[in-house]
Amino acid sequence: MSEEKKQQKIDKKVDELNRNLDELKVSASIEENLAIIDELFKDNEIIKHRRITNENDPSMQFVIVFCEALVDHVLINDSLIKPLILTHMRIGRGDCIKTVIERILHAGEIEKTDNYKDVVQSVCFGDTVIFINGCEEALYIDTKKFNTRTTEEPPAEMVLSGPREGFTENIMNNMALLQRRIKSHDFKCKTVMVGERTKTTCMVCYINSLVNENVLDRLYKRLKNIKIDGVLDSNYLIEMIKDNGYTPFRVLGITERPDSVVGKLLEGRAALIVDGSPVVITMPYLFMENFQSPEDYYVNYYYASFARILRIIGFIMTLFAPALYISIVAFHHELLPVPLLIHFAIERSSVPIPASIEAFLLIGVYELIRETGIRVPSNIGQALSIVGALVIGQAAVDAKLIAAPMVILVAITALTGLLVPKLSGAILIFRPLIMLLASFFGLYGFLLGASFLLAHVFTLRSMGVIHVSNVNKLKFQEVKDLYIRSPWWAMKTRPMEISENKVRMKVKRKS
Amino acid sequence: MKRAAVIFILIFCLTLGGCFSYKGLDRLTIVMGIALDYDEENERYLATLEVADTAKSSKEEGIKSALIECDGVSITDAFFNATRKVKSALYFGSCEVLIICQKIAERGLKTIMDTFMRTKELRETAFPLVSKEEMAADIFKKAQGLSSAIISSDIQQIMEQGSMFSGAIRKVKMYQIYIDILAQNKCLSLPAIGLAENDQEKVVEADGTAVFCHDKLINWMSSDETVFFLLSINEYRGGTITYDRDGDPSTDYAIFVNKASSKTTLKMEGDEPSFGIDIKLRGVLDEAEKSGEQISFDEMKQIEQEYAEMIKGKTDRLIEKLQKEFRCDISGFGRLISKVNPKYWEKIKDTWLDIYPNVKIDVNVSVKITSVNITR
């Protein structure tokens, strides 16, 4: 009967537990704890538990719980099970936990807890939990060991010269990559758990004396408010915490390169690292960062400045070129030089559809080819490019389906679009919009669309910081890293609107 | 509510506005040049439009041109009648050349220039020309294009580029002459265009200047005279001036002019206006019959002197011809009076063309030869 009653009590507790893990406390009875663990991890066969009894004092009983797939078995055997069995130490009634931590276990990182929320989390993260008979707290010991991808150069951010390391999916590896580069006590990283079910570890990193406190406060506040089942990649968080939820522009920076993250931390930005994703979020993110590349800082500054100006021109061209062409060809022929006008007219006279529809059609086809190119395995790519180039380019012109100038225009649009991959989302939305306005109203519509775009960009905020700051400034220290990349000896201050601690360089270049 | 209103307004703007002033390039007939004639018997304007023929043109054979002939009681009427022949709308935005026949020029250009200036598409930068042929349309019909199949492009090139090197072409655009037509203080002059034989074909040729009394054509200046006319009104843009000494070909010279400028000044002696024209010329001695020999400093001075005298003589003769024979003030002496001494101009403006033939005009020429391009 008493056995039955005990069972009922346990069942009741398990029911509660499913409702609220937070309030479920570790019991003093090993049997009770075992029953709860069994119920929690029912049908999950990689969660193992094992009873241990001390050989000198049979009243000293322990249960260890761990996840088979995530732990280092040798470590558990040598540092946990062996000392627990063989120890001569007696556990006093009062501070048994303290004795176990300080005098018995051979492990580096030991934490204690009194609730099941932590127990479940740590078991699932590769820790080993020890329940002690007669003790209302449990211990969890870091015994993680699992395989992850090795550090390699991120394919999306290749550089010709400069560091080639990239982040991986393992958060501790990533932290290692960062800490290794900043050997200072000023580098801080705080853990935040996000995801109701996945309990994903996220790390907020910053340099204490440089970081903008307002940005940090906003970040913590927004992270706290997230109620989502799971966080599998940084993008989950980006969309949850960004200032303007609907904008196609990127208002939080992402990178897979540790050197790039450290560079941003040193400018007073904060970084958010998500476990399971090699992509690190940096904030605040300014508009001109779209045109910056990590390589800019590793090569000659003349070359880097030239490349940056090219990227800016590329962005403007890919966004505006089709709309400008449509409005000139359909409305404002006066803007074309006469010989060009005649040649365009000759080309256009054989094509049955209006220029705007032609442009939409061809840019649509280009987007199709681009998307196909991303999805197909790389060895089919060659066939794809032949089909793309021959069929769309040559044959369509020969068949008088599209005019030759349009092919050139779309080729330029597509090429320049690839120059600024960070803005591809915005380009995808705003290019057709401006094209549409231009095909209805000509240059008037073109300017209307462009003004709307500008107005929109200027309303954007990144973690409360104005997204397009500094573009209206003319002081050298404010524009030194915007349109051009100045030499390092000339960059005497940190970006003005990010960090309060402005002076970067106190000594003169030659002393 | 507010958002819905904005969306509705946007939708209405896009759909009800339609394609505001949409003109597809494929639906245009691009007019390159206009030749305007007048049929006095029927009192009708005959317009011949040279258009780029987009149907016949191809990459291999280049751009072809076609002519559209139309007539009407007025010019606008003629253009509207032309649209009955062509499949798409006439586009005057790239029309660079406007050739006017002698008959219309003799009747006066005031009204037709007004029409062309106010046509919304035709540019003010088009070149107005007077045809030396009987029919202006003959320029388009009989000439063969040298550089392209489009005669108007050839003419435009001659006016733009040729005027830089020939020195005998007055480059004027429509907006520059419009004020001359309206004002009383200056008479109009326009470049003349005609046909010339070249390699057994007829080609267009800039052929002197048409001289107007106010806006009515009265006579012509030859190409040689145009050179000195342009020198005297500070519109000479470059070219070669030859010194042809009578009877002795071994002493002929040619100067390539680098820079020519002139300044006209008004002198009032009581109620008698008189003018001074200072012409300054800098050039390179480009061609001499006595090449091979050294030209000494003194000789050079002498050549400069002789040149100056020759230019002065020819300019004097031209101005006298304009004063006494043509009796029209195309150099703008009247305009100078109206600018410098408006009160006096108010008094004489109605009788200016009667005073003008007897006004004293002094021409001063100085020539500077900077270097000698002759092989020794």
Side-chain angles (χ1 to χ4, degrees):
Chain A
M1 189 65 197
S2 72
E3 196 74 6
E4 225 172 73
K5 238 180 188 175
K6 215 175 177 181
Q7 191 58 44
Q8 274 178 0
K9 204 176 156 193
I10 290 170
D11 284 350
K12 204 179 165 193
K13 242 182 175 175
V14 168
D15 281 348
E16 268 175 23
L17 136 182
N18 281 334
R19 261 175 270 136
N20 206 340
L21 269 178
D22 263 332
E23 287 164 21
L24 188 63
K25 298 292 179 210
V26 174
S27 154
S29 149
I30 278 199
E31 305 302 327
E32 215 169 285
N33 285 332
L34 256 182
I36 294 171
I37 289 288
D38 274 343
E39 184 57 35
L40 280 174
F41 294 113
K42 200 167 134 187
D43 296 340
N44 185 347
E45 289 177 5
I46 57 167
I47 306 293
K48 303 283 181 195
H49 54 74
R50 186 183 186 287
R51 275 168 178 278
I52 296 166
T53 312
N54 184 270
E55 62 175 10
N56 301 316
D57 181 357
S59 70
M60 279 166 65
Q61 289 189 348
F62 310 92
V63 166
I64 64 170
V65 184
F66 56 89
C67 175
E68 199 182 6
L70 299 174
V71 296
D72 184 350
H73 290 275
V74 179
L75 187 78
I76 291 180
N77 290 346
D78 289 356
S79 317
L80 307 184
I81 300 178
K82 213 167 166 185
L84 285 176
I85 292 176
L86 297 180
T87 185
H88 295 282
M89 208 66 63
R90 296 223 154 218
I91 303 177
R93 282 236 169 256
D95 48 355
C96 56
I97 284 281
K98 201 180 168 205
T99 320
V100 171
I101 294 174
E102 289 179 1
R103 309 185 71 167
I104 300 178
L105 294 178
H106 298 183
E109 191 186 325
I110 306 176
E111 300 275 342
K112 53 186 179 181
T113 179
D114 64 343
N115 65 57
Y116 266 93
K117 190 188 168 195
D118 290 344
V119 168
V120 169
Q121 251 176 45
S122 44
V123 167
C124 294
F125 200 23
D127 292 348
T128 301
V129 174
I130 302 179
F131 294 105
I132 303 159
N133 198 18
C135 201
E136 282 189 335
E137 281 178 309
L139 296 174
Y140 56 94
I141 298 105
D142 179 16
T143 53
K144 296 182 194 74
K145 188 188 181 187
F146 41 82
N147 287 333
T148 49
R149 194 162 60 95
T150 52
T151 296
E152 55 194 41
E153 186 171 19
E157 290 173 274
M158 295 265 196
V159 292
L160 287 177
S161 80
R164 288 176 209 282
E165 272 179 329
F167 287 122
T168 60
E169 285 75 7
N170 182 344
I171 192 164
M172 280 305 149
N173 277 355
N174 295 349
M175 291 312 298
L177 290 173
L178 291 184
Q179 182 76 61
R180 230 175 59 205
R181 285 174 167 81
I182 312 173
K183 298 175 192 73
S184 160
H185 66 281
D186 221 11
F187 173 63
K188 310 285 178 195
C189 42
K190 287 190 177 163
T191 313
V192 182
M193 291 287 181
V194 188
E196 301 290 292
R197 287 185 201 282
T198 59
K199 304 287 182 200
T200 309
T201 315
C202 300
M203 288 260 187
V204 178
C205 304
Y206 54 93
I207 289 175
N208 204 22
S209 55
L210 303 181
V211 75
N212 184 333
E213 294 292 336
N214 296 335
V215 170
L216 219 52
D217 288 350
R218 276 202 177 81
L219 175 62
Y220 283 130
K221 208 180 279 171
R222 287 179 194 172
L223 283 176
K224 219 176 106 188
N225 287 339
I226 295 177
K227 296 275 180 283
I228 187 172
D229 262 4
V231 176
L232 303 184
D233 184 67
S234 323
N235 195 45
Y236 285 53
L237 290 186
I238 290 179
E239 286 180 12
M240 298 293 283
I241 63 176
K242 83 182 190 184
D243 297 53
N244 181 339
Y246 289 107
T247 180
F249 281 92
R250 187 184 281 188
V251 290
L252 292 170
I254 55 171
T255 179
E256 290 187 42
R257 300 178 58 87
D259 48 310
S260 170
V261 170
V262 171
K264 301 215 187 262
L265 291 181
L266 290 174
E267 284 177 350
R269 291 183 170 85
L272 179 62
I273 304 170
V274 180
D275 191 23
S277 168
V279 180
V280 172
I281 309 168
T282 61
M283 66 208 72
Y285 183 75
L286 305 185
F287 185 68
M288 290 313 281
E289 283 181 63
N290 287 319
F291 304 107
Q292 294 169 352
S293 144
E295 200 178 2
D296 284 359
Y297 302 97
Y298 308 141
V299 295
N300 179 294
Y301 45 83
Y302 291 114
Y303 174 75
S305 306
F306 178 69
R308 195 174 283 178
I309 290 169
L310 278 189
R311 280 177 227 134
I312 295 171
I313 295 173
F315 170 64
I316 294 171
M317 278 179 73
T318 194
L319 199 57
F320 295 138
L324 205 60
Y325 175 82
I326 291 174
S327 48
I328 288 178
V329 165
F331 294 92
H332 312 284
H333 313 128
E334 295 84 0
L335 288 174
L336 286 173
V338 179
L340 201 60
L341 173 79
I342 296 172
H343 282 294
F344 275 9
I346 293 168
E347 287 289 342
R348 294 276 318 124
S349 62
S350 54
V351 178
I353 47 178
S356 55
I357 295 178
E358 200 183 18
F360 274 108
L361 214 70
L362 207 57
I363 285 180
V365 169
Y366 161 70
E367 294 293 343
L368 275 178
I369 294 175
R370 189 183 56 83
E371 184 61 20
T372 319
I374 297 171
R375 298 295 151 227
V376 294
S378 57
N379 43 3
I380 312 179
Q382 204 178 359
L384 188 79
S385 62
I386 291 171
V387 171
L390 283 185
V391 175
I392 309 303
Q394 196 58 43
V397 173
D398 284 348
K400 306 275 185 201
L401 210 62
I402 44 178
M406 186 54 80
V407 179
I408 300 169
L409 182 91
V410 171
I412 290 174
T413 310
L415 272 180
T416 47
L418 297 175
L419 261 179
V420 274
K422 291 176 186 168
L423 283 165
S424 52
I427 291 168
L428 206 64
I429 299 296
F430 277 99
R431 184 165 56 203
L433 188 80
I434 298 176
M435 276 165 67
L436 195 72
L437 282 169
S439 48
F440 278 117
F441 302 113
L443 272 185
Y444 168 67
F446 171 79
L447 287 177
L448 207 68
S451 318
F452 176 69
L453 170 85
L454 275 183
H456 173 69
V457 172
F458 274 86
T459 57
L460 292 178
R461 297 281 186 280
S462 171
M463 284 296 166
V465 175
I466 297 170
H467 185 51
V468 193
S469 30
N470 268 355
V471 290
N472 54 348
K473 305 269 179 65
L474 281 174
K475 254 189 187 165
F476 175 71
Q477 283 302 325
E478 283 161 338
V479 296
K480 63 186 183 296
D481 200 16
L482 292 182
Y483 310 107
I484 55 164
R485 200 280 278 176
S486 311
W488 273 109
W489 46 260
M491 297 208 224
K492 294 210 168 84
T493 62
R494 301 195 174 84
M496 298 286 171
E497 59 295 317
I498 298 173
S499 176
E500 295 287 307
N501 189 344
K502 289 188 171 65
V503 179
R504 166 146 57 188
M505 200 182 294
K506 278 181 191 140
V507 285
K508 285 187 177 166
R509 181 165 55 121
K510 285 167 192 158
S511 54
Chain B
M1 189 57 213
K2 205 171 159 191
R3 187 176 286 183
V6 170
I7 291 171
F8 267 112
I9 289 171
L10 269 180
I11 289 173
F12 285 147
C13 280
L14 287 176
T15 52
L16 300 184
C19 295
F20 164 73
S21 85
Y22 172 84
K23 285 174 291 183
L25 261 185
D26 46 329
R27 298 190 212 154
L28 289 183
T29 302
I30 302 168
V31 178
M32 303 292 292
I34 304 170
L36 205 59
D37 287 302
Y38 191 66
D39 178 3
E40 278 176 323
E41 267 178 41
N42 301 317
E43 294 188 341
R44 287 174 84 82
Y45 284 99
L46 306 170
T48 309
L49 310 175
E50 191 182 31
V51 299
D53 193 341
T54 50
K56 277 188 197 153
S57 305
S58 65
K59 268 181 212 156
E60 291 76 26
E61 290 170 36
I63 303 164
K64 292 273 188 304
S65 73
L67 293 180
I68 298 169
E69 288 182 313
C70 51
D71 65 334
V73 182
S74 68
I75 296 165
T76 326
D77 185 36
F79 289 162
F80 273 110
N81 286 339
T83 51
R84 291 191 300 197
K85 288 184 189 163
V86 288
K87 67 176 165 71
S88 46
L90 293 173
Y91 171 71
F92 291 97
S94 50
C95 173
E96 297 280 6
V97 175
L98 173 61
I99 303 172
I100 299 154
C101 76
Q102 291 178 33
K103 277 179 206 158
I104 294 177
E106 279 160 7
R107 282 158 51 95
L109 292 183
K110 201 178 258 174
T111 43
I112 70 153
M113 273 306 171
D114 194 57
T115 312
F116 281 117
M117 283 294 283
R118 282 188 290 101
T119 308
K120 75 174 171 163
E121 271 180 352
L122 189 69
R123 295 189 184 204
E124 287 78 23
T125 52
F127 290 108
L129 303 134
V130 181
S131 162
K132 274 203 147 178
E133 304 297 312
E134 198 175 341
M135 295 285 283
D138 287 351
I139 305 276
F140 289 149
K141 283 179 186 164
K142 293 184 180 162
Q144 288 289 322
L146 273 182
S147 56
S148 72
I150 298 178
I151 309 295
S152 304
S153 304
D154 266 18
I155 298 175
Q156 192 231 344
Q157 288 294 314
I158 291 170
M159 300 308 294
E160 287 279 0
Q161 303 295 324
S163 64
M164 308 247 290
F165 305 108
S166 132
I169 303 170
R170 184 170 182 225
K171 179 190 172 188
V172 278
K173 297 190 166 180
M174 213 153 76
Y175 69 91
Q176 290 168 317
I177 62 152
Y178 191 57
I179 188 82
D180 296 352
I181 293 175
L182 294 180
Q184 260 184 321
N185 52 21
K186 193 180 175 188
C187 294
L188 180 66
S189 61
L190 285 180
I193 191 112
L195 293 174
E197 285 285 338
N198 182 57
D199 194 16
Q200 296 170 349
E201 281 176 345
K202 289 227 156 116
V203 296
V204 286
E205 185 189 42
D207 190 9
T209 307
V211 181
F212 289 71
C213 185
H214 290 305
D215 68 329
K216 293 183 175 62
L217 177 72
I218 52 164
N219 217 320
W220 306 90
M221 271 196 292
S222 70
S223 287
D224 288 342
E225 286 169 330
T226 305
V227 172
F228 298 100
F229 170 63
L230 293 180
L231 269 176
S232 74
I233 60 166
N234 197 19
E235 282 189 20
Y236 189 81
R237 281 147 50 87
T240 310
I241 298 175
T242 317
Y243 182 23
D244 181 11
R245 216 182 294 217
D246 289 337
D248 188 2
S250 67
T251 52
D252 287 355
Y253 297 101
I255 290 184
F256 181 79
V257 180
N258 284 336
K259 195 181 172 192
S261 64
S262 78
K263 193 170 169 18
T264 310
T265 46
L266 166 70
K267 271 173 261 165
M268 295 292 295
E269 288 161 10
D271 257 6
E272 288 274 303
S274 68
F275 296 91
I277 302 177
D278 279 318
I279 301 175
K280 280 183 185 150
L281 214 87
R282 264 165 55 135
V284 178
L285 196 61
D286 218 27
E287 201 180 320
E289 291 289 325
K290 59 184 276 189
S291 64
E293 288 172 42
Q294 189 106 7
I295 299 175
S296 71
F297 187 73
D298 289 340
E299 255 179 310
M300 189 69 92
K301 281 276 164 233
Q302 204 197 334
I303 294 170
E304 284 178 356
Q305 192 65 37
E306 283 172 356
Y307 249 104
E309 276 168 20
M310 183 270 289
I311 292 170
K312 178 178 159 51
K314 290 202 172 175
T315 314
D316 275 341
R317 234 170 295 153
L318 174 74
I319 288 175
E320 200 184 330
K321 190 175 178 184
L322 290 174
Q323 276 182 303
K324 305 271 157 66
E325 196 185 328
F326 296 170
R327 297 172 75 89
C328 60
D329 175 22
I330 58 173
S331 311
F333 293 114
R335 179 162 298 170
L336 189 67
I337 298 177
S338 69
K339 273 184 192 164
V340 178
N341 200 340
K343 278 182 191 162
Y344 178 66
W345 174 252
E346 279 302 311
K347 263 191 278 177
I348 59 154
K349 67 176 180 187
D350 295 328
T351 53
W352 168 239
L353 284 189
D354 300 328
I355 301 169
Y356 165 71
N358 302 315
V359 170
K360 196 171 155 237
I361 298 166
D362 253 347
V363 181
N364 273 316
V365 185
S366 73
V367 175
K368 176 86 187 143
I369 295 173
T370 50
S371 64
V372 180
N373 283 1
I374 297 169
T375 325
R376 282 185 194 131

